[in-house]
């Protein structure tokens, strides 16, 4: 059949097939195909992204450490988080990070360039360490990292006015200079013995590099310590000619247990003493004139004090003549009114078997004859321009402070001490002060110092010629100064604020910081009327006895309030415990003191030293060990003649002869301890 096409030029179409329309039923198939194609592309993209993420995640891991843009965490071998550090000074741009060997480095934050790296170091099979450095390239930008302390109990850092063991942080404080300070007069500052080292119960330790302009803050709500490096608004200074670009660098090490990781850190990062002080200093007590006579000491009183020591049959390692035996602070000659014949006094004391140590300090007051000559010779720390000496205020007036970075000042000071030794036969010196809070906020020294606490280090070096019997109360990187280090003065009170309860936490903290030859200040405290428990000028009698008993188990003892100021019973108790110290404690301490030269291990140890897996042991602040085998549990509460005692697992014999062979730790509740007793247990 033919069909005529209208309008055609006579053309015709043959066998035409009509065009078909798609039905509505086929449209979902087309959509599904499109969706499937999109899903395939998405899956491929996701897989590629996943592979890239795995590679990035692998890049940001380095042997149990995971880095992210805001910080990092460290796990132990069991996979548990033991350390967390957050970055508060910037967010890392992870695309700028790369890894080469054991070094993971990044070159940017989200808004600026920097140098950042974490290097993994495995010094031994049981220790894993990480070197961390964040270096700013723009001046005056602080670096701040925030360490979370909620995973464990922490120890170390510095002595403080209110001392707890483990560290107990309260309140919030923005980062402030981590420098030595006199906490007796500045109770909210860091103490005179200080190191940028902390140790945790989960076998993690952190050591801030000594080159860091280090500031420390905290927040108890966030359970965080702030580690900050900065030069702006700070007494820290960059090296001469360097831009003030802050760098926070430190090492974090993780071990198998708290004791072993501390042993590693001490051997690796701390100085060690090169000799043991005179053995008699460990065996016999020091007798100081301070708490009894304060600045009213004179020749007759000192001779009477010495005569009473002999009269009551006490031994004496040396007699300490404290403040104030000169006419002015900064003089190095005896006050002729108070000491009309100092030479005869020294001869008398020597003939009676007494060696004498003198109190000394780094200040020269403006009314001393030596002040003008020191100004003329340029021996004082100066104001920032370096043109004028800086006047400083200390607890005994106003004057200059000797610049111990200046060789001339060191020589002048040393010559004064040598003269006292030569003229009077002085045996040694009690070096007081030395903390950096007595320096001006801005100052200059002959040899520029970046870290103000390095002034403390230079001052402690002045004790080296007298280290057999010398006494220091401040220390920074000074563990190799082989002297006795004394915690700051105590008040005659029971509590944790510079009182009896603070003594064990303070001694344990000093020990962890590497200072092992410890003189735990005067028995009974300073006996200031407004800072003394009791209604007399003397410390409370019970407090004095409990203090005496505790001191008998320390490396050295020091009397100042003499026991005969109370009654015959107190004198007898004092004789008993000085004899016990000489016969039981001193031999063990001297044995351990010899080991310190090689190991740096503490003489006075926390209970966790021998009980590393014992959660209770980490929190005990009223008991301690001498070595591994003598455990001491003094009474530290008024009105108590009993106490709870925690015995770690092992084989113990009490001072009463009781045997405790225990496979698990044991609580002895309300263990009876009479007023003239102190509970101690020996490992058998």
């Amino acid at each position: 059949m033919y069909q005529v096409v209208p309008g055609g030029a006579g053309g015709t179409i043959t066998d035409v097939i009509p065009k078909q329309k798609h039905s509505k039923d086929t449209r979902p198939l087309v959509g599904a195909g499109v969706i499937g194609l999109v899903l395939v592309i998405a899956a491929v993209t996701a897989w590629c992204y996943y592979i890239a993420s795995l590679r990035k995640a692998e890049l940001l891991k380095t042997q149990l450490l995971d880095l992210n843009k805001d910080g990092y965490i460290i796990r132990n071998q069991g996979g548990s988080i033991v350390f967390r550090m957050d970055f508060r000074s910037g967010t890392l741009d992870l695309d700028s990070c790369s890894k080469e060997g054991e070094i993971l480095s990044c070159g940017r934050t989200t808004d600026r360039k920097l140098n950042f790296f974490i290097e993994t170091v495995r010094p031994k099979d049981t220790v894993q360490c990480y070197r961390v450095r964040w270096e700013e390239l723009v001046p005056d930008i602080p670096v701040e990292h925030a360490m979370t302390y909620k995973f464990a109990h922490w120890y170390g850092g510095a002595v403080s006015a209110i001392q707890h063991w483990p560290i107990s942080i309260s309140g919030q404080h923005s980062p402030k200079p981590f420098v030595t300070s006199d906490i007796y007069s500045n109770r909210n500052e860091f103490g005179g013995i200080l190191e940028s080292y902390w140790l945790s119960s989960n076998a993690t330790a952190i050591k801030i590099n000594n080159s860091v302009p280090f500031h420390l803050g905290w927040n108890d709500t966030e359970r965080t310590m702030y580690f900050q490096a900065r030069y702006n608004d700070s007494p820290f200074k960059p090296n001469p000619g360097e831009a003030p670009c802050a760098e926070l660098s430190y090492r974090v090490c993780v071990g198998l247990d708290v004791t072993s990781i501390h042993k590693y850190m001490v051997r690796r990062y701390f100085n060690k003493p090169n000799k043991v002080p005179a053995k008699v200093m460990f065996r016999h007590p020091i007798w100081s004139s301070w708490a009894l006579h304060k600045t009213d000491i004179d020749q007759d009183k000192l001779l009477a004090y010495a005569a009473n020591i002999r009269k009551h049959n006490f031994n004496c390692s040396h007699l300490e003549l404290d403040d104030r035996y000169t006419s002015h602070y900064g003089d190095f000659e005896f006050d002729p009114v108070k000491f009309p014949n100092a030479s005869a006094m020294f001869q008398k004391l020597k003939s009676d078997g007494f060696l004498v140590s003198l109190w000394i300090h780094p200040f020269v007051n403006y009314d001393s004859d030596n002040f003008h000559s020191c100004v003329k010779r340029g021996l004082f720390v100066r104001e920032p321009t370096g043109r004028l000496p800086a006047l400083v205020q200390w607890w005994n007036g106003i004057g200059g402070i000797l610049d111990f970075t200046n060789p001339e000042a060191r020589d002048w000071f040393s010559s004064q001490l040598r003269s006292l030794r030569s003229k009077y036969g002085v045996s040694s010196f009690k070096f007081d002060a030395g903390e950096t809070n007595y320096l001006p906020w801005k100052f200059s020294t002959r040899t520029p110092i970046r870290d103000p606490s390095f002034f403390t280090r230079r001052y402690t070096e002045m004790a080296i010629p007298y280290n057999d019997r010398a006494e220091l109360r401040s220390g920074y990187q000074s563990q190799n100064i082989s002297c006795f280090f004394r915690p700051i003065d105590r008040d005659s009170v029971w509590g944790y604020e510079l009182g009896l309860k603070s003594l064990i936490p303070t001694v344990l903290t000093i020990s962890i910081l590497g200072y092992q030859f410890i003189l735990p200040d005067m028995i009974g405290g300073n006996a200031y009327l407004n800072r003394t428990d009791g209604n007399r000028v003397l410390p409370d009698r019970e407090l004095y006895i409990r203090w005496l008993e505790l001191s008998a188990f320390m490396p050295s003892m020091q009397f100042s309030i003499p026991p005969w100021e109370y009654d015959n019973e107190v004198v007898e108790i004092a004789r008993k415990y000085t004899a016990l110290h000489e016969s039981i404690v001193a031999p063990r301490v001297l044995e351990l003191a010899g080991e310190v030269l090689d190991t740096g291990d503490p003489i006075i140890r926390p209970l966790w030293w021998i009980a590393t897996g014992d959660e209770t042991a980490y929190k005990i602040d009223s008991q301690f060990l001498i070595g591994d085998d003598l455990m001491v549990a003094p009474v530290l509460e008024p009105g108590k003649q009993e106490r709870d005692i925690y015995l770690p697992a092992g084989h113990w014999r009490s001072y009463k002869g009781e045997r405790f062979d225990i496979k698990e730790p044991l609580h002895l509740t309300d263990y009876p301890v009479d007023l003239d007793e102190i509970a101690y247990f020996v490992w058998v």
Side-chain angles (χ1 to χ4, degrees):
M1 177 177 180
Y2 296 93
Q3 180 179 2
V4 177
V5 180
T12 61
I13 299 176
T14 61
D15 299 328
V16 174
I17 303 174
K19 186 175 181 181
Q20 297 180 350
K21 294 182 179 180
H22 292 293
S23 73
K24 292 182 180 180
D25 293 335
T26 65
R27 292 179 182 177
L29 295 175
V30 176
V34 173
I35 293 172
L37 180 60
V38 171
L39 289 175
V40 169
I41 294 171
V44 171
T45 302
W47 177 255
C48 293
Y49 182 78
Y50 174 68
I51 295 298
S53 297
L54 286 178
R55 289 174 178 169
K56 177 61 73 174
E58 188 62 30
L59 167 69
L60 300 179
K61 288 186 177 182
T62 174
Q63 301 221 14
L64 305 178
L65 181 146
D66 295 348
L67 175 69
N68 61 65
K69 61 185 177 64
D70 298 314
Y72 62 89
I73 60 172
I74 299 174
R75 303 178 187 273
N76 61 17
Q77 295 290 346
S80 299
I81 296 175
V82 295
F83 188 82
R84 174 180 164 182
M85 189 74 87
D86 296 323
F87 304 144
R88 293 173 57 92
S89 47
T91 300
L92 286 181
D93 177 359
L94 298 183
D95 290 332
S96 73
C97 299
S98 61
K99 189 174 181 181
E100 183 175 345
E102 298 297 337
I103 300 178
L104 198 167
S105 59
C106 306
R108 289 191 58 83
T109 66
T110 53
D111 62 354
R112 64 186 183 274
K113 292 183 178 180
L114 84 162
N115 290 329
F116 172 84
F117 77 78
I118 296 176
E119 180 182 9
T120 303
V121 182
R122 195 171 183 85
K124 53 193 299 187
D125 291 341
T126 57
V127 176
Q128 183 84 28
C129 292
Y130 305 91
R131 294 178 58 228
V132 183
R133 187 181 74 182
W134 180 303
E135 179 188 5
E136 290 290 347
L137 302 179
V138 178
D140 294 326
I141 294 180
V143 183
E144 186 173 312
H145 292 181
M147 184 188 80
T148 302
Y149 61 82
K150 66 182 179 182
F151 299 115
H153 306 291
W154 284 85
Y155 314 90
V159 297
S160 58
I162 301 175
Q163 196 85 50
H164 292 286
W165 179 271
I167 294 170
S168 177
I169 295 174
S170 60
Q172 295 84 41
H173 204 293
S174 57
K176 59 182 179 179
F178 192 68
V179 295
T180 58
S181 183
D182 174 359
I183 53 173
Y184 198 81
S185 56
N186 301 277
R187 300 204 173 193
N188 294 320
E189 299 302 319
F190 305 113
I193 298 176
L194 165 152
E195 303 291 336
S196 53
Y197 168 72
W198 288 266
L199 174 73
S200 83
S201 59
N202 61 13
T204 305
I206 180 169
K207 175 68 177 71
I208 310 297
N209 288 356
N210 294 332
S211 60
V212 171
F214 183 54
H215 298 66
L216 180 67
W218 56 88
N219 186 315
D220 64 347
T221 303
E222 298 177 355
R223 297 182 64 80
T224 297
M225 294 171 66
Y226 304 139
F227 295 163
Q228 187 189 79
R230 76 168 192 261
Y231 290 110
N232 188 35
D233 187 29
S234 170
F236 289 87
K237 305 171 187 176
N239 284 328
E242 289 185 359
C245 294
E247 173 189 309
L248 180 60
S249 55
Y250 53 89
R251 290 165 171 81
V252 181
C253 292
V254 182
L256 294 179
D257 60 69
V258 61
T259 301
S260 63
I261 194 62
H262 178 66
K263 284 173 174 279
Y264 169 77
M265 298 297 285
V266 167
R267 286 158 175 74
R268 178 66 180 82
Y269 298 117
F270 284 178
N271 297 318
K272 295 174 190 61
N274 51 34
K275 61 175 289 188
V276 176
K279 292 181 179 179
V280 69
M281 291 281 289
F282 295 91
R283 292 179 177 137
H284 298 158
I286 298 167
W287 295 79
S288 170
S289 66
W290 171 250
L292 183 63
H293 295 295
K294 304 294 193 296
T295 58
D296 292 331
I297 189 66
D298 60 29
Q299 183 168 323
D300 290 339
K301 290 175 182 176
L302 187 66
L303 289 172
Y305 189 45
N308 275 322
I309 295 171
R310 288 289 181 251
K311 174 184 174 182
H312 291 91
N313 298 315
F314 286 99
N315 288 319
C316 175
S317 60
H318 66 239
L319 186 62
E320 190 174 83
L321 174 53
D322 213 297
D323 179 13
R324 159 183 185 177
Y325 55 88
T326 61
S327 300
H328 306 95
Y329 293 106
D331 294 351
F332 289 88
E333 189 50 80
F334 281 83
D335 182 336
V337 176
K338 298 174 73 175
F339 296 88
N341 196 338
S343 295
M345 178 188 73
F346 274 92
Q347 290 173 3
K348 169 63 174 170
L349 292 170
K350 183 178 180 180
S351 66
D352 290 340
F354 288 96
L355 297 176
V356 181
S357 174
L358 295 181
W359 175 78
I360 205 73
H361 55 82
F363 307 102
V364 180
N365 279 9
Y366 68 89
D367 57 354
S368 168
D369 289 341
N370 287 322
F371 181 82
H372 302 287
S373 62
C374 288
V375 169
K376 186 176 181 180
R377 296 176 61 181
L379 304 186
F380 291 140
V381 171
R382 293 174 170 262
E383 45 78 41
T385 69
R387 292 192 297 268
L388 296 172
L391 286 179
V392 299
Q393 185 169 8
W394 61 298
W395 68 91
N396 276 329
I398 297 174
I401 184 169
L402 291 166
D403 178 3
F404 293 105
T405 76
N406 181 350
E408 292 182 38
R410 294 164 68 89
D411 289 345
W412 180 82
F413 187 72
S414 295
S415 70
Q416 304 301 321
L417 303 189
R418 288 195 301 269
S419 177
L420 287 168
R421 170 177 269 190
S422 174
K423 186 172 183 179
Y424 300 110
V426 172
S427 64
S428 191
F429 298 92
K430 171 184 177 178
F431 290 82
D432 213 353
E435 300 90 353
T436 62
N437 68 293
Y438 291 110
L439 297 170
W441 176 252
K442 298 291 185 180
F443 63 91
S444 66
T445 50
R446 174 68 65 87
T447 302
I449 54 177
R450 297 179 61 181
D451 181 346
S453 292
F454 196 68
F455 178 86
T456 297
R457 162 70 197 189
R458 282 285 178 250
Y459 179 57
T460 61
E461 291 171 353
M462 303 309 297
I464 291 176
Y466 310 96
N467 55 18
D468 264 0
R469 295 171 175 271
E471 173 187 329
L472 288 158
R473 84 169 194 190
S474 57
Y476 176 68
Q477 301 176 38
S478 305
Q479 297 92 338
N480 64 326
I481 311 296
S482 303
C483 301
F484 276 90
F485 284 84
R486 173 181 64 88
I488 194 73
D489 304 41
R490 306 283 113 174
D491 288 329
S492 300
V493 297
W494 288 91
Y496 283 104
E497 183 173 349
L498 295 179
L500 178 60
K501 284 186 179 179
S502 73
L503 201 55
I504 294 173
T506 300
V507 170
L508 290 174
T509 298
I510 293 171
S511 296
I512 289 297
L513 298 180
Y515 298 87
Q516 310 309 339
F517 307 140
I518 299 172
L519 176 63
D521 203 46
M522 298 168 288
I523 293 167
N526 261 329
Y528 289 126
L529 184 60
N530 60 339
R531 293 177 177 173
T532 298
D533 285 344
N535 55 9
R536 300 176 57 195
V537 174
L538 291 177
D540 175 75
R541 181 179 185 274
E542 182 187 6
L543 172 68
Y544 182 87
I545 292 171
R546 293 305 191 190
W547 206 307
L548 163 63
E549 292 163 352
L550 171 56
S551 293
F553 285 85
M554 291 291 166
S556 187
M557 301 178 70
Q558 184 178 49
F559 285 100
S560 193
I561 298 290
W564 53 84
E565 289 291 313
Y566 292 93
D567 51 52
N568 288 335
E569 183 184 9
V570 176
V571 172
E572 287 303 318
I573 293 172
R575 288 199 192 106
K576 171 183 174 180
Y577 280 99
T578 54
L580 181 147
H581 177 84
E582 182 176 359
S583 62
I584 295 178
V585 178
R588 184 68 181 116
V589 168
L590 280 166
E591 181 183 355
L592 294 164
E595 297 174 5
V596 166
L597 308 186
D598 296 322
T599 67
D601 289 347
I603 293 173
I604 304 299
R605 301 172 181 176
L607 257 61
W608 52 250
W609 192 266
I610 61 169
T612 56
D614 188 338
E615 173 64 20
T616 301
Y618 290 127
K619 297 178 286 187
I620 291 180
D621 67 351
S622 63
Q623 298 174 221
F624 61 93
L625 295 163
I626 301 174
D628 289 346
D629 51 12
L630 179 55
M631 195 273 289
V632 186
V635 173
L636 304 174
E637 298 279 352
K640 297 289 186 180
Q641 296 200 24
E642 67 282 324
R643 65 156 291 164
D644 294 344
I645 295 173
Y646 187 74
L647 278 181
H651 306 280
W652 299 96
R653 183 180 67 245
S654 78
Y655 69 107
K656 299 177 181 180
E658 305 152 309
R659 286 290 298 259
F660 299 91
D661 297 305
I662 49 178
K663 295 181 179 180
E664 298 291 335
L666 177 65
H667 284 275
L668 302 175
T669 57
D670 293 329
Y671 187 83
V673 187
D674 290 343
L675 181 60
D676 65 343
E677 293 181 324
I678 182 172
Y680 63 94
F681 300 77
V682 178
W683 184 278
V684 292

